[in-house]
């Protein structure tokens, strides 16, 4: 049961007399413990709510269109507290962050409900058989952080004695028709090489219910005192990992008609290899894991450039990016300059002094590194930054400084852009809609 914080005006619940402060006990005879129960059982057209109002039990019958929301709001989005991670993975990025940052950055979630609702990846180590049964009953697809299918190695990598045995849930879900997107954080000397081959072979036996797999390289910051002695991938190791993945892509493509497993863009950058063509990423199912982002950006930008028309006078703009994406962004900037003689587009490669120079992705650049490395430069009319640098739906960087702080320090107007080639070109050209 859960307390109702508010009832949306004009909603089905409002029309049938549900009130703020009522306690939701059951929907259609089913107990409600969280948002998944609420959404699943409230989808029917005829809904019976069992509630308590000031301790008095009441039954309210509601008729609505199928899947219409009941209009109830609760104290938290999940209707209870987030489930924190019970692992201490050797590669965990949160354990590699410096002290003194905002408290929310240190919270490790491993909540399956966020997998269904927001696309988060979960390890399944928090889950019990009853949780798996509920997923199967509700036919909910899930995103799983596998890392390895070797039970003993999974225990070692995740520092959780249950991590190996919980692998059985992956097989149980797949065998019951649940679709799984999987993720492997690849660590040199641990789950790469033959261990990666083992994981891909094992997961391949569950296809087509394993719908996609992303392999991403471990990120190693300078804050690893007392932690497992990890190192990042070098050029040779990244190339060998790509070779293994591309070998399995061919196997899966011939057998199932889909490549299924994809290395993240970062592997190609570390290995200094050309990105695959657009068609190699199929439906970009692992885009949020950094798979195909750069290829998509390049192709979109080039298409946008073909139809773009310059309006106005001279324009000078700057872009700040991480080391890994610098080559790509600089290449696109030069293409824009070649197309439009009125344009000057400078691209600055920002070294990550905050986390350490082994961290090269753009999304982990902090405001203080931007200020320190760009101060004194003529940045032109605008400084363009990736939206990945700031918190979602906000203007706050990882170090709690804001876009306004950076604008004042650098005396330039900042414009953030998503990973979209059309919008990047618009920003470079100064076009707003």
């Amino acid at each position: 049961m859960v307390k109702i914080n508010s009832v949306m005006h004009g909603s089905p619940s409002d029309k049938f007399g549900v009130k703020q402060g009522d306690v939701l006990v059951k929907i259609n005879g089913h107990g409600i413990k969280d948002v998944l129960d609420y959404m699943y059982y409230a989808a029917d057209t005829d809904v019976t709510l069992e509630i308590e109002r000031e301790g008095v039990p009441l039954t309210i019958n509601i008729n609505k269109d199928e899947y219409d929301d009941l209009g109830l709001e609760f104290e938290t989005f999940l209707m209870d507290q987030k489930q924190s991670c019970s692992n201490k993975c050797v590669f965990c990025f949160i354990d590699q962050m410096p002290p003194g940052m905002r408290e929310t950055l240190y919270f490790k979630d491993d909540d399956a409900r966020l997998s269904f609702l927001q696309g988060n990846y979960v390890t399944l180590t928090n889950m019990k058989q009853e949780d798996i049964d509920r997923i199967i009953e509700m036919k909910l697809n899930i995103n799983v952080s596998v890392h390895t299918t070797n039970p003993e190695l999974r225990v070692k990598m995740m520092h959780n004695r249950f991590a190996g045995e919980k692998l059985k849930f992956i097989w149980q879900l797949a065998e019951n028709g649940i679709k799984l997107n999987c993720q492997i954080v690849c660590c040199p000397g641990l789950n790469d090489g033959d261990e990666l081959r083992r994981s891909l072979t094992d997961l391949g036996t569950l296809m087509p219910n394993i719908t996609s797999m992303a392999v991403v390289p471990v990120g190693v910051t300078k804050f690893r005192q007392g932690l497992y002695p990890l190192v990042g991938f070098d050029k040779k190791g990244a190339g060998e990992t790509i070779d293994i993945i591309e070998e399995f892509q061919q196997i899966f493509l011939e057998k199932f008609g889909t490549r299924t497993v994809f290395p993240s863009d970062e592997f190609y950058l570390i290995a200094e290899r050309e990105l695959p063509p657009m068609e190699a990423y199929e439906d970009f199912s692992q885009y949020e894991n950094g798979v195909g982002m750069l290829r998509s950006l390049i192709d979109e930008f080039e298409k946008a450039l073909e139809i773009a028309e310059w309006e106005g006078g001279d324009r000078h703009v700057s872009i700040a990016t991480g080391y890994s994406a610098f080559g790509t962004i600089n290449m696109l900037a030069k293409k824009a300059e070649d197309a439009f003689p009125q344009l000057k587009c400078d691209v600055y490669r920002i070294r990550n002094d905050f986390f350490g120079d082994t961290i090269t992705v753009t999304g982990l650049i902090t405001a203080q590194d931007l200020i320190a490395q760009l101060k004194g430069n003529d940045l032109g009319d605008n400084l363009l930054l990736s939206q990945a640098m700031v918190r979602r739906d906000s203007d706050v960087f990882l170090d709690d400084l804001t876009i306004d702080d950076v604008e004042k320090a650098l005396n330039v107007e900042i414009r953030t852009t998503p990973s979209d080639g059309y919008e990047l070109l618009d920003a470079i050209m100064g076009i707003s809609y």
Side-chain angles (χ1 to χ4, degrees):
M1 58 177 62
V2 61
K3 185 177 180 180
I4 298 168
N5 262 30
S6 63
V7 181
M8 294 176 60
H9 179 70
S11 67
S13 294
D14 182 37
K15 291 176 181 177
F16 284 86
V18 183
K19 297 185 181 300
Q20 179 182 358
D22 289 347
V23 175
L24 177 62
V25 180
K26 291 183 178 181
I27 299 179
N28 288 349
H30 299 279
I32 303 300
K33 67 177 183 178
D34 62 19
V35 66
L36 292 187
D37 288 335
Y38 172 74
M39 294 175 67
Y40 184 72
Y41 295 117
D44 293 341
T45 55
D46 295 308
V47 177
T48 298
L49 302 185
E50 294 179 40
I51 65 172
E52 289 185 3
R53 181 173 297 163
E54 298 180 351
V56 178
L58 296 172
T59 298
I60 297 178
N61 296 308
I62 296 175
N63 179 264
K64 63 178 185 63
D65 291 336
E66 190 175 15
Y67 300 114
D68 272 5
D69 186 74
L70 287 173
L72 302 180
E73 296 182 345
F74 306 92
E75 183 178 356
T76 66
F77 170 65
L78 293 173
M79 298 170 62
D80 68 352
Q81 300 303 309
K82 283 184 184 179
Q83 294 178 1
S84 61
C85 185
S86 58
N87 311 310
K88 192 170 177 58
C89 297
V90 297
F91 52 81
C92 179
F93 195 84
I94 293 175
D95 289 340
Q96 302 180 73
M97 294 200 304
M101 302 176 74
R102 62 178 178 272
E103 186 176 348
T104 54
L105 290 175
Y106 299 101
F107 181 79
K108 305 177 187 179
D109 78 72
D110 193 20
D111 198 315
R113 296 163 303 183
L114 294 176
S115 176
F116 311 129
L117 299 170
Q118 297 181 351
N120 294 23
Y121 279 76
V122 293
T123 65
L124 306 180
T125 56
N126 268 334
M127 303 186 75
K128 301 179 177 61
Q129 185 60 52
E130 62 192 63
D131 301 313
I132 299 300
D133 292 340
R134 182 167 71 147
I135 293 170
I136 293 170
E137 177 192 358
M138 294 182 176
K139 297 180 174 58
L140 299 170
N141 300 329
I142 190 168
N143 299 330
V144 180
S145 292
V146 180
H147 307 314
T148 176
T149 58
N150 178 337
E152 293 78 17
L153 179 58
R154 198 169 196 249
V155 168
K156 176 182 178 179
M157 290 186 68
M158 300 173 73
H159 278 192
N160 184 324
R161 62 193 178 97
F162 301 109
E165 68 180 67
K166 294 299 177 79
L167 283 168
K168 66 184 179 184
F169 289 155
I170 296 175
W171 267 255
Q172 190 176 350
L173 290 167
E175 288 166 358
N176 281 277
I178 302 302
K179 304 296 185 184
L180 297 92
N181 294 307
C182 297
Q183 174 194 70
I184 294 173
V185 175
C186 207
C187 305
L190 284 174
N191 61 339
D192 60 341
D194 287 341
E195 287 293 346
L196 179 59
R197 286 190 176 89
R198 170 178 174 163
S199 295
L200 298 182
T201 299
D202 290 343
L203 292 171
T205 65
L206 300 178
M207 291 174 64
N209 287 329
I210 299 293
T211 55
S212 71
M213 294 180 258
V215 183
V216 302
V218 63
V220 180
T221 81
K222 65 183 180 182
F223 299 101
R224 288 200 59 86
Q225 296 84 347
L227 300 178
Y228 186 91
L230 274 181
V231 295
F233 276 93
D234 58 16
K235 179 179 178 180
K236 180 174 181 291
E240 290 171 349
T241 302
I242 292 171
D243 291 341
I244 292 171
I245 296 168
E246 291 185 344
E247 171 191 333
F248 276 87
Q249 284 184 329
Q250 191 59 37
I251 293 170
F252 294 153
L253 190 61
E254 292 174 1
K255 189 171 183 180
F256 301 104
T258 172
R259 293 170 178 82
T260 306
V261 60
F262 304 91
S264 72
D265 296 352
E266 197 172 356
F267 272 116
Y268 289 97
L269 297 175
I270 296 170
E272 299 177 14
R273 292 192 184 182
E274 185 176 349
L275 293 166
M278 197 80 157
E279 58 270 19
Y281 294 100
E282 299 180 1
D283 61 355
F284 288 84
S285 56
Q286 288 283 353
Y287 187 84
E288 296 302 323
N289 260 322
V291 176
M293 276 189 171
L294 287 179
R295 170 52 64 200
S296 178
L297 181 72
I298 293 167
D299 283 22
E300 288 171 349
F301 191 93
E302 290 176 345
K303 289 176 183 177
L305 202 56
E306 289 174 1
I307 59 175
E309 295 182 4
W310 189 266
E311 296 181 4
D314 293 344
R315 176 169 169 78
H316 177 199
V317 64
S318 297
I319 305 174
T321 187
Y323 268 49
S324 60
F326 173 78
T328 299
I329 301 300
N330 194 53
M331 177 265 291
L332 297 180
K334 297 309 176 193
K335 284 179 178 286
E337 286 184 334
D338 291 343
F340 305 117
Q342 305 94 325
L343 173 67
K344 179 183 179 184
C345 185
D346 296 322
V347 182
Y348 291 89
R349 183 169 51 183
I350 304 299
R351 183 182 61 254
N352 200 320
D353 292 330
F354 188 88
F355 287 111
D357 59 14
T358 54
I359 300 299
T360 61
V361 296
T362 300
L364 293 175
I365 292 173
T366 58
Q368 56 194 269
D369 280 344
L370 287 169
I371 293 169
Q373 296 175 47
L374 295 177
K375 201 168 184 64
N377 288 296
D378 178 10
L379 301 175
D381 305 307
N382 292 122
L383 172 63
L384 308 184
L385 303 177
S386 168
Q387 286 180 358
M389 291 187 196
V390 293
R391 291 173 63 185
R392 185 179 297 178
D393 301 322
S394 80
D395 63 351
V396 181
F397 292 85
L398 279 169
D399 53 1
D400 280 341
L401 294 177
T402 67
I403 287 176
D404 185 59
D405 293 326
V406 180
E407 285 181 329
K408 289 177 180 176
L410 298 178
N411 193 32
V412 67
E413 181 181 346
I414 287 175
R415 179 168 171 176
T416 61
T417 65
S419 182
D420 180 284
Y422 292 94
E423 294 200 40
L424 176 60
L425 183 59
D426 283 346
I428 289 174
M429 296 174 66
I431 298 172
S432 298
Y433 296 99

